[in-house]
Amino acid sequence: VASDDVADFSLGKKLHHGVPAERWCVTRRDLRHLRALVCEALQEGRLVPTARDAFDPKDRRYGPTIYTITDQLVKPITAQAGGMSWALMRHPKGLKCDLFITHAWQEGIFEF
């Protein structure tokens, strides 16, 4: 969202209040989609190294950290969609979670 745009986060708030947290889930397909978006953003130069994450934009083994992906890719996309989480953006009614996998924020996106 550009600085002169006013984002409407009412949909995100509605989803976060209406869908139980245990249903804020993603699928393997969602993760593959995210990976494709990351690769595209890297190729186009839209993900850039920072003092906190001096990743090599050409590296496809580790990649940028989850912090960087969240700040530079996920937050702008979800803000435009209405301010909900990535999971609720992909699945506004939520999903039944039958397997829980966590990640380290410091790890590279391609490690996850």
Side-chain angles (χ1 to χ4, degrees):
V1 176
S3 61
D4 56 345
D5 292 338
V6 176
D8 179 6
F9 291 153
S10 60
L11 177 58
K13 288 178 184 178
K14 180 180 175 184
L15 289 175
H16 280 268
H17 288 352
V19 179
E22 64 268 14
R23 297 187 60 84
W24 301 352
C25 303
V26 295
T27 65
R28 183 177 290 181
R29 183 177 179 185
D30 296 326
L31 294 175
R32 285 193 296 265
H33 174 70
L34 178 60
R35 181 185 176 92
L37 290 176
V38 168
C39 288
E40 179 182 292
L42 283 167
Q43 186 172 354
E44 294 173 357
R46 291 184 287 122
L47 292 173
V48 296
T50 64
R52 182 182 195 181
D53 182 10
F55 70 91
D56 176 357
K58 295 177 186 167
D59 169 49
R60 296 301 185 268
R61 183 173 181 180
Y62 301 107
T65 68
I66 305 297
Y67 287 115
T68 299
I69 297 304
T70 300
D71 289 343
Q72 296 183 26
L73 186 69
V74 172
K75 284 182 179 180
I77 291 171
T78 57
Q80 281 188 324
M84 70 289 290
S85 67
W86 181 265
L88 289 178
M89 182 187 74
R90 299 286 294 169
H91 306 280
K93 294 181 181 178
L95 293 175
K96 180 182 179 198
C97 183
D98 56 12
L99 176 66
F100 180 82
I101 299 174
T102 190
H103 62 79
W105 283 84
Q106 197 68 27
E107 75 182 324
I109 187 70
F110 299 133
E111 294 179 278
F112 177 70

